[in-house]
Amino acid sequence: MSPRRVTLADVAKTAGVSPTTASLVLSGRGRELRISQDVEQRVLKAAAELQYRPNIVSVGLRTGTTRTIGFISDTVATSRLAGDMIKGALEAARERGFMLFIGETEGDAELERLLLQAMHDRQVDGIILAAMYTRTIKVPKGMAVAPAVLLNALPKQPSPLPSVIPDEIEAGRVAARTLLDAGHREGIHLIGAGPGRRNVPPGGSVAAVERLIGIREVLAEAGVKPAGGHVCPDWQPEYGLSVTRELLKKERPRALICFNDRVALGAYQALDDFGLKVPADVSVVSFDDHPIASWMRPQLTTVALPHYELGRKAVDVLFTEIGRDREDDGGEGEVHRVPMPIRLRESVTSPGA
């Protein structure tokens, strides 16, 4: 037989007080209601000795809060990289005395519906709906039952839900400025997307579109035009390798902006195949700060995805939603952009250095 749970009545009996007095002390209202310090200390000592834990369900019924947050993702929970989003959310929630309930859908719409229903049945105080990659999503029906935030996702249709995403536009600007600050003005090629705003991989990646906007903006301000853009059907090393090989058969670039680190890995291989050195012959800047970026030789300069900060920010925004008046939900939710820091390493130098 499992041990019996210690109750408030047990604490009151051990301390020699009424259950009402024990409840007031343990809820922090003892001083407010002029309960003596001696009684307060007896109750706290009894609770500690008995290892008393309050019944969260009962507390929730009384206070209207369960001190829990639902975190539903597609594949974030089992992703080595984006798992830092969960770590950030967990720590931000814990600092506020809240617990995270985590569920994963693996992209299954029916499982997503069932998980949302289960979270609402457990009366979570709010829900974070997260995506592994920044993308537009169809907001599930019933999301508005409790305060909610979209993490790493934007709604396909107008929605009152706020979104938390990486600042990909500014990341594009930072990548372009990194090359300009090194003195590059000619022979800058884009590997993965571009040169036009519509030249992006199938599926309309938010990261591709927004990184491209930032890159083009900064280059245009400097009077620099990209020497070329090369769309990869998927941002994987084999496509970075093949499109960079095709480029090198026609001309020699002076710098590459690769749209993620896996593409950059393929580009490195192609440059090596053609006897070109990074960064002496060709500078390379990229995005994401995947672990391979620091393993590559020379180490890759890249603009980092702030997964941990995204998770923390989502919890901050959710608590704002929990605390606000939800009667006026007619407008579109605010988009919160989290800065993406540059990791300056060894792959960029001045032309001809």
Side-chain angles (χ1 to χ4, degrees):
M1 176 184 279
S2 59
R4 185 177 69 85
R5 182 186 180 98
V6 175
T7 67
L8 183 65
D10 296 326
V11 175
K13 183 178 180 180
T14 302
V17 300
S18 70
T20 300
T21 298
S23 176
L24 291 172
V25 170
L26 294 173
S27 64
R29 299 181 61 205
R31 297 292 176 86
E32 174 190 335
L33 297 173
R34 299 188 177 183
I35 293 172
S36 72
Q37 188 172 359
D38 175 63
V39 169
E40 185 179 86
Q41 290 302 314
R42 291 206 322 260
V43 172
L44 293 175
K45 182 180 179 183
E49 289 176 350
L50 296 173
Q51 297 184 332
Y52 169 74
R53 300 295 301 163
N55 187 316
I56 297 298
V57 174
S58 298
V59 173
L61 290 171
R62 186 173 69 251
T63 62
T65 175
T66 59
R67 304 191 72 79
T68 57
I69 295 171
F71 189 107
I72 300 175
S73 69
D74 45 15
T75 57
V76 170
T78 53
S79 161
R80 178 181 174 187
L81 295 178
D84 276 347
M85 282 198 288
I86 291 180
K87 183 179 180 183
L90 276 168
E91 293 187 3
R94 186 170 63 242
E95 288 167 8
R96 292 173 167 87
F98 276 65
M99 179 180 290
L100 229 60
F101 289 155
I102 301 171
E104 188 165 297
T105 70
E106 298 181 356
D108 185 319
E110 176 61 12
L111 182 54
E112 179 181 77
R113 184 187 69 80
L114 292 172
L115 280 170
L116 279 169
Q117 188 178 72
M119 297 293 185
H120 288 144
D121 288 346
R122 284 160 178 77
Q123 298 183 330
V124 296
D125 294 301
I127 288 178
I128 296 171
L129 186 62
M132 168 64 182
Y133 300 104
T134 311
R135 58 188 178 92
T136 56
I137 64 170
K138 183 179 179 181
V139 177
K141 291 181 181 179
M143 275 288 288
V145 172
V149 172
L150 303 181
L151 173 55
N152 213 23
L154 294 168
K156 284 186 177 179
Q157 302 297 329
S159 168
L161 298 184
S163 299
V164 176
I165 61 173
D167 193 347
E168 300 281 12
I169 295 177
E170 183 59 25
R173 295 182 185 127
V174 168
R177 286 193 200 108
T178 299
L179 292 181
L180 294 175
D181 290 348
H184 289 278
R185 294 294 185 277
E186 298 178 351
I188 299 175
H189 284 259
L190 314 181
I191 307 296
R197 292 190 179 185
R198 295 185 179 181
N199 303 129
V200 296
S205 160
V206 171
V209 172
E210 295 198 343
R211 290 172 184 180
L212 197 51
I213 289 172
I215 292 167
R216 286 167 52 89
E217 177 187 306
V218 165
L219 292 182
E221 288 173 356
V224 174
K225 185 176 180 180
H230 314 270
V231 178
C232 294
D234 192 11
W235 288 350
Q236 296 297 332
E238 59 267 31
Y239 295 109
L241 173 64
S242 62
V243 301
T244 306
R245 275 179 174 169
E246 290 303 310
L247 165 63
L248 294 171
K249 289 176 183 177
K250 302 170 186 175
E251 61 181 288
R252 175 180 159 178
R254 301 308 302 266
L256 303 179
I257 300 179
C258 295
F259 274 70
N260 79 0
D261 299 333
R262 294 182 297 277
V263 169
L265 178 62
Y268 262 47
Q269 182 62 58
L271 292 168
D272 186 65
D273 290 346
F274 278 73
L276 298 173
K277 300 295 183 184
V278 177
D281 299 315
V282 182
S283 287
V284 180
V285 65
S286 181
F287 299 90
D288 289 1
D289 196 26
H290 188 285
I292 61 172
S294 58
W295 299 339
M296 293 161 65
R297 293 295 179 269
Q299 293 185 338
L300 181 63
T301 290
T302 182
V303 188
L305 280 169
H307 289 121
Y308 176 83
E309 291 78 9
L310 285 166
R312 289 194 66 92
K313 182 65 175 180
V315 171
D316 291 343
V317 173
L318 183 60
F319 272 89
T320 299
E321 291 295 295
I322 291 171
R324 76 175 180 85
D325 183 358
R326 296 178 55 78
E327 290 184 5
D328 183 21
D329 270 346
E332 292 187 30
E334 184 178 355
V335 177
H336 301 264
R337 294 180 178 271
V338 177
M340 296 175 61
I342 182 78
R343 308 292 191 217
L344 295 171
R345 295 192 177 105
E346 304 165 346
S347 62
V348 175
T349 192
S350 58

